[in-house]
Amino acid sequence: MAAVRGGAERYFTRWYKPDVKGRPCEDFCVLQHSNRICVITLAEAHPLLQTGKTITSINYQISANCSRLQNKVSGKSKRGAQFLTELAPLCRISSSDGEEYTIYSCIRGRLIEVNENILSNPAILQEKPSTEGYIAVVLPKFEESKSITQGLLTQKEYEEVLLKRLNSSS
């Protein structure tokens, strides 16, 4: 699933979900491919991507009965995939300063895969968040593929949110 830097811009449309669940700056990015597959990543302004943060652990175990690592998908219709809502947690990430961040799906769809590579090498989540450091891949229902971006911001709208944050903090 690792996308080449140029490929990410060419084939994916970036959508943003700022301040998820009312948490300031906890922003996520949804890279939507032309074939409707969506890659969930951290947005540039997410606290985990700021300097000085070191990721200590990533946990796909959401609850006692639900682990995203147990997601087993087969066949063309993606049988067995876990179904996610917009606010379904994908994983929890802990940082060296003791903070824990819950990463949410941001869109409805079937969980196709989680990025197990970040478990053994959490640094790629910070170094290459839009490519090798993605969180998960989600496939929206065909009939919902056009409407899943409602409630998400375009790159330009997101940049305006970041500018407002910058102006309000100074």
Side-chain angles (χ1 to χ4, degrees):
M1 188 57 227
V4 182
R5 187 78 187 134
E9 274 73 43
R10 187 175 316 135
Y11 300 112
F12 290 89
T13 305
R14 288 178 178 270
W15 297 95
Y16 293 90
K17 184 77 173 173
D19 305 329
V20 174
K21 284 199 147 185
R23 297 180 182 177
C25 300
E26 288 198 29
D27 306 344
F28 302 104
C29 177
V30 177
L31 301 172
Q32 185 182 32
H33 193 275
S34 53
N35 68 5
R36 78 179 213 270
I37 282 198
C38 295
V39 179
I40 312 301
T41 68
L42 298 177
E44 301 86 49
H46 195 284
L48 283 167
L49 299 182
Q50 305 316 305
T51 54
K53 291 269 187 185
T54 305
I55 295 173
T56 53
S57 72
I58 299 169
N59 190 354
Y60 283 112
Q61 185 77 35
I62 299 309
S63 67
N65 299 327
C66 180
S67 171
R68 300 300 182 205
L69 291 172
Q70 300 302 313
N71 191 56
K72 298 285 182 251
V73 180
S74 67
K76 185 177 166 188
S77 62
K78 308 301 178 207
R79 282 185 308 280
Q82 296 173 11
F83 190 79
L84 305 171
T85 62
E86 293 91 341
L87 293 175
L90 291 170
C91 66
R92 291 190 175 80
I93 303 176
S94 300
S95 64
S96 55
D97 59 4
E99 291 287 326
E100 183 179 80
Y101 301 93
T102 301
I103 310 304
Y104 296 96
S105 172
C106 301
I107 58 169
R108 289 168 44 88
R110 293 181 181 275
L111 180 64
I112 302 303
E113 87 178 47
V114 293
N115 185 359
E116 293 184 39
N117 295 332
I118 61 175
L119 295 173
S120 58
N121 185 6
I124 61 171
L125 188 65
Q126 293 169 307
E127 294 163 8
K128 300 175 180 178
S130 296
T131 54
E132 286 97 344
Y134 70 97
I135 306 288
V137 178
V138 177
L139 180 64
K141 285 184 176 176
F142 181 75
E143 57 273 14
E144 293 179 2
S145 59
K146 297 278 187 256
S147 64
I148 57 147
T149 56
Q150 290 174 348
L152 299 179
L153 304 180
T154 64
Q155 175 99 32
K156 190 173 183 344
E157 292 168 332
Y158 182 63
E159 286 167 2
E160 289 169 11
V161 167
L162 294 180
L163 198 60
K164 282 180 189 165
R165 279 186 196 159
L166 188 66
N167 291 337
S168 68
S169 67
S170 55

